[in-house]
Amino acid sequence: MHILVAPQEFKGSLTAVEAASAIAAGVRRAMAGATVDEAPVSDGGPGLVDALIAGRGGERRTITVHDPLMRPIEATWALLPHATAVVEMAAASGLVLLAEAERDPLAATTSGVGELIVAALDAGCGNIIVGVGGSATVDAGAGALQALGARLLDASGADLDRGGAALADLDRIDLTTIDARVARAAIRVASDVRNPLYGPEGAAVVFGPQKGASQQAVATLDAALRRFAEVVQRDFALDLQAIEGSGAAGGLGAGLLVGTGATIEPGFPIVADAIGLRARVEAADLVVTGEGRLDSQTAYGKAAAGVAAVARECGKPVIAVAGTISDYDPSSLMFDAVMASTPSGMRLEDAMRAGAALVAEAAARLVRDFAR
């Protein structure tokens, strides 16, 4: 029997690569004669670099960039075959880089993301995938544009300060100074978020609070994003608000779209295409996926649901291991069987620390039960 193991990360416990390894160990324990193909996946958030290196090969490269508060840090990106680069926003401008008391989307910048893109261009990459999950910023990608050489100017012609709040004073975006190589590169923004740039469902209102924004800061940032969109509409005849996903990652996708001609795409299909997922599903007798929390939101852009959809299209059975299961409707027929790895009564913190062992055991039980 040939089994494909294709989980996403178990957030806070296991990376997608670690989850795939744990599930594979459980599968081998349950079916000693099975062959196992490990294909960790991602929806574009943290873990994208690991998933694509595992799926396609390539190398990690590390450079010094600036974090959301403009402090120097080391950030890693991936150089894949065929001059393709993979950049994770979380590595340079992620919320995980800040202590809770440091979170300040009024000042936080995406400059580090732009610096990672420059590194990819320096390496001769003509295809750049930018995963935008886990951001600490609400600056419409202004910092990334500035790092790429663009100028964001106020009415007096002075360059704007870094951070989302400064966009309230935006008068003009000068792209004549941007790195000319971006025009020759295909930049794809991988995101599972469909929110618009501003308004009640926009980047500031929906995601600002979790990045440290007070109610007043949310209002300031929402107005600043609206101003950014107004300038873009006036000067480039581009309606950012009408573009699905322009509010992802504090509007990073919107900024890259304006400055580099990037496209904003669902993250999972990009990953699936890059690792040849469909062919690997077609070669399997059984598909096992997984995620940290299986719930009513799983179906909305999550990688585990994407794996299930491909399996269904190929006529293959698909089962899932989850850290926890809550508010999941089995009648949705998304998976043929599911199992939680966290034992009843165990504290979530303890389960996350023991994630690999628990996931392996759950996978073994799930495969045995399903085989019966």
Side-chain angles (χ1 to χ4, degrees), residues 1 3 23 25-32 286 288 319 321 337 339 358-372:
M1 192 170 193
I3 300 176
I23 292 173
V27 168
R28 293 187 180 99
R29 192 182 306 163
M31 296 183 134
L286 172 66
V288 186
I319 59 181
V321 178
M339 183 169 290
L358 293 175
V359 167
E361 177 56 32
R365 286 187 281 120
L366 179 61
V367 169
R368 286 194 202 102
D369 289 350
F370 187 74
R372 293 193 191 107

Side-chain angles (χ1 to χ4, degrees), residues 145-212:
L145 292 180
Q146 289 167 321
L148 285 165
R151 299 183 66 195
L152 282 75
L153 308 170
D154 65 17
S156 69
D159 290 283
L160 295 186
D161 290 335
R162 307 280 177 169
L167 293 176
D169 295 323
L170 179 65
D171 182 69
R172 184 166 59 91
I173 301 172
D174 182 0
L175 297 179
T176 62
T177 54
I178 201 166
D179 193 319
R181 295 173 297 177
V182 300
R184 300 189 293 273
I187 300 177
R188 305 167 74 188
V189 176
S191 171
D192 66 346
V193 171
R194 301 181 177 91
N195 298 67
L197 186 59
Y198 60 83
E201 301 298 321
V205 175
V206 175
F207 303 111
Q210 70 191 41
K211 302 177 186 185

Side-chain angles (χ1 to χ4, degrees), residues 88-284:
E88 280 186 28
M89 180 181 199
S93 304
L95 199 60
V96 296
L97 301 175
L98 304 180
E100 189 168 351
E102 294 177 323
R103 296 177 181 179
D104 181 11
L106 292 170
T109 174
T110 51
S111 181
V113 179
E115 292 167 327
L116 287 172
I117 294 173
V118 170
L121 294 171
D122 288 343
C125 293
N127 302 293
I128 302 173
I129 300 169
V130 183
V132 299
S135 77
T137 57
V138 187
D139 76 341
L145 292 180
Q146 289 167 321
L148 285 165
R151 299 183 66 195
L152 282 75
L153 308 170
D154 65 17
S156 69
D159 290 283
L160 295 186
D161 290 335
R162 307 280 177 169
L167 293 176
D169 295 323
L170 179 65
D171 182 69
R172 184 166 59 91
I173 301 172
D174 182 0
L175 297 179
T176 62
T177 54
I178 201 166
D179 193 319
R181 295 173 297 177
V182 300
R184 300 189 293 273
I187 300 177
R188 305 167 74 188
V189 176
S191 171
D192 66 346
V193 171
R194 301 181 177 91
N195 298 67
L197 186 59
Y198 60 83
E201 301 298 321
V205 175
V206 175
F207 303 111
Q210 70 191 41
K211 302 177 186 185
S214 65
Q215 187 173 354
Q216 182 177 351
V218 165
T220 298
L221 289 166
D222 190 57
L225 293 175
R226 185 183 294 269
R227 178 57 185 166
F228 182 84
E230 290 171 348
V231 171
V232 169
Q233 175 77 60
R234 183 196 69 199
D235 293 346
F236 301 100
L238 180 61
D239 184 1
L240 291 175
Q241 189 69 357
I243 298 173
E244 187 173 76
S246 60
L252 173 65
L256 291 179
L257 190 156
V258 174
T260 72
T263 57
I264 304 173
E265 306 173 35
F268 175 75
I270 292 177
V271 175
D273 178 63
I275 67 174
L277 182 66
R278 180 172 293 274
R280 295 164 83 169
V281 168
E282 289 174 342

Side-chain angles (χ1 to χ4, degrees), residues 4-105:
L4 174 65
V5 173
Q8 66 182 82
E9 68 165 345
F10 284 53
K11 191 173 182 178
S13 179
L14 301 172
T15 66
V17 172
E18 291 168 342
S21 178
I23 292 173
V27 168
R28 293 187 180 99
R29 192 182 306 163
M31 296 183 134
T35 59
V36 181
D37 177 14
E38 297 179 35
V41 295
S42 168
D43 54 18
L48 181 66
V49 163
D50 287 342
L52 290 184
I53 287 180
R56 289 188 56 182
E59 63 182 78
R60 289 175 178 79
R61 295 196 171 188
T62 301
I63 64 166
T64 300
V65 299
H66 291 90
D67 79 356
L69 300 181
M70 290 300 290
R71 300 171 299 198
I73 58 165
E74 298 296 298
T76 299
W77 62 282
L79 177 61
L80 305 183
H82 309 298
T84 297
V86 185
V87 169
E88 280 186 28
M89 180 181 199
S93 304
L95 199 60
V96 296
L97 301 175
L98 304 180
E100 189 168 351
E102 294 177 323
R103 296 177 181 179
D104 181 11

